[in-house]
Amino acid sequence: MNIVGKTALALGMSEARLLSFISTCPRRYKRYNIPKRNGDGQRLICQPSKELKFLQGMVLEKFLLDLPLHRAATAYREGMGIKENASRHKDSRYFLKMDFRNFFPSIKPEILTAHIEKFRQVKISESDAFSLARIFFYFDKVDGLSLSIGAPSSPFLSNTVMYYFDCKVSDACEDAGITYTRYADDLCFSSERKNALWSMPKFVQGALLECDLDHVSVNPDKTIFVSHKENIHLTGLVITPEGKLSIGRSNKRKTKSLIYSYLNGSLSAENLAWLRGYLSFCMDVEPGFLDSLKSKYGEGPLGLIMSVNR
C-alpha cells in the first residue's frame, strides 16, 4: 500500500514529517465519559484531533474502502439502521440476543492487518502495519492500542474486521433456518422453530476463535432467550407480539412530554430540534403513533408536527 509515501505525496509534505506525525497519533485524542445507554456505568469516548480526523478519513478513503461488509451488519451503513435490523426479525417467534463486551476497544491493530491480508491475499509491510496501527488506534495504558469509540473511521473498521465472522455465522444460520443480524456489538438471532437457537451461543464462541478474533468476547450476562409472547426489545425498538415495530412506551411518554412543553412555551431550542428529528423517525417506524398525536393535539396548533409531515 505504501501508506506513508502515497499520503505524503498527496499532502505535499515530506515522508519524514508525515511519519513523525503518525508516530504521535495514538495520543492525539480528547477523552471524556458519557453514561451508557442502559445506565450501567460510563463509556469512554476518545475523539481524534481535527488533524488526525482528516488523516484518518484520507487514508480510509484511499486505501481501505474496498474492504468487505456483510449484509448481516446493519449498523453505520447508508440505507440501514435500527429499523432495518429489527425488521428482519419481526416475523419470527423465538429470539436470542447476544452482546460483545467492550467491542470497539477489543479490536486491535493486528486484527485489522490480518483481515486486510486475508481479503487481499497479500502480506502487509511492516511500514504499512505500523501506519495503520498508529493512524486508526488510540493508546490506552491498560489495553494498549485499541479502536476508539469516537473516531469517525471506527464504525467502518469495526464492521469490516467482523466480515468473515459474519459470513461464518450467517451461513450456519441460513442452513438452520435462523435469521441473523449484527448491529455493532448487538447480535440477534431469530427463528420460527422453538429449539433452533440453543446451540448458537457455543457456535458464536467457536466462530470468534476460528476467525482469529481473540480479543473479542461475548458478555454472558447479556445472552438472553426470549419468545414472541412478549414485546421484544431490539436495538432501541420494540417488536410487538403482532410482529409490528414500535418505538416503545417509554419513548412515547417522553415524546408526549416534550410536545406538552413545546405547546406551553417551555421547550428549549435544542430539545425542539431533537423532537423534530425524532418525530420524523417515528413517522418512518410507527406512523400510527404520529396519527394518534394529531388526534390528541390537533394539526393546527402543532406547526411542529405539520412541519415533520411535509
Side-chain angles (χ1 to χ4, degrees), residues 31-280:
R31 305 183 183 206
Y32 55 93
N33 291 300
I34 62 171
K36 289 185 177 180
R37 184 177 59 188
N38 59 9
D40 183 20
Q42 300 283 311
R43 188 181 304 281
L44 176 64
I45 304 298
C46 298
Q47 186 175 4
S49 67
K50 182 173 63 175
E51 296 81 7
L52 176 53
K53 191 181 299 185
F54 174 81
L55 180 61
Q56 288 174 341
M58 185 176 184
V59 173
L60 187 71
E61 183 175 355
K62 192 173 183 65
F63 297 100
L64 302 179
L65 284 187
D66 66 314
L67 295 175
L69 303 174
H70 196 278
R71 182 179 178 273
T74 57
Y76 320 123
R77 302 178 65 180
E78 186 175 353
M80 294 190 183
I82 60 174
K83 180 187 176 184
E84 171 69 17
N85 188 72
S87 293
R88 297 188 193 177
H89 299 278
K90 65 184 181 64
D91 297 322
S92 296
R93 298 171 63 190
Y94 302 98
F95 299 80
L96 164 64
K97 298 194 294 181
M98 300 180 69
D99 180 89
F100 290 137
R101 181 187 283 116
N102 297 323
F103 179 51
F104 274 33
S106 70
I107 297 173
K108 305 297 182 180
E110 56 267 28
I111 291 178
L112 176 59
T113 300
H115 174 63
I116 296 171
E117 291 181 335
K118 182 174 183 178
F119 176 69
R120 294 181 180 166
Q121 294 295 296
V122 297
K123 178 66 176 175
I124 298 295
S125 68
E126 290 185 11
S127 173
D128 283 336
F130 175 88
S131 297
L132 290 171
R134 270 66 185 177
I135 292 171
F136 293 110
F137 295 81
Y138 80 102
F139 178 76
D140 180 84
K141 291 181 179 179
V142 176
D143 297 323
L145 291 173
S146 304
L147 197 66
S148 76
I149 302 173
S153 54
S154 292
F156 174 83
L157 296 179
S158 70
N159 266 344
T160 189
V161 298
M162 298 300 294
Y163 174 75
Y164 292 106
F165 169 84
D166 288 335
C167 285
K168 189 174 187 64
V169 175
S170 186
D171 289 347
C173 287
E174 187 174 349
D175 292 340
I178 297 171
T179 299
Y180 161 66
T181 60
R182 180 180 59 80
Y183 191 89
D185 57 350
D186 291 317
L187 287 70
C188 185
F189 304 84
S190 65
S191 176
E192 281 292 287
R193 295 191 296 114
K194 185 174 183 179
N195 298 318
L197 304 175
W198 294 115
S199 63
M200 289 313 302
K202 184 176 180 180
F203 183 86
V204 167
Q205 298 276 13
L208 289 171
L209 294 176
E210 289 182 31
C211 295
D212 297 320
L213 296 166
D214 301 344
H215 297 283
V216 181
S217 62
V218 172
N219 184 347
D221 295 334
K222 294 185 178 180
T223 297
I224 303 170
F225 291 91
V226 288
S227 73
H228 222 168
K229 295 177 182 178
E230 53 193 291
N231 285 339
I232 307 299
H233 295 263
L234 193 60
T235 54
L237 291 179
V238 173
I239 303 176
T240 69
E242 297 76 32
K244 297 184 181 299
L245 296 185
S246 172
I247 63 170
R249 291 181 180 178
S250 61
N251 286 326
K252 289 178 181 179
R253 286 195 296 268
K254 178 181 178 181
T255 302
K256 290 177 182 178
S257 175
L258 289 175
I259 290 175
Y260 179 81
S261 296
Y262 171 77
L263 293 176
N264 284 277
S266 59
L267 189 65
S268 68
E270 181 181 357
N271 282 334
L272 176 57
W274 182 91
L275 181 58
R276 287 181 186 274
Y278 193 71
L279 286 174
S280 179

Side-chain angles (χ1 to χ4, degrees), residues 291-309:
D291 291 337
S292 71
L293 292 178
K294 293 178 188 177
S295 298
K296 181 174 182 177
Y297 298 105
E299 288 193 44
L302 289 182
L304 169 64
I305 292 180
M306 292 178 64
S307 67
V308 170
N309 279 318

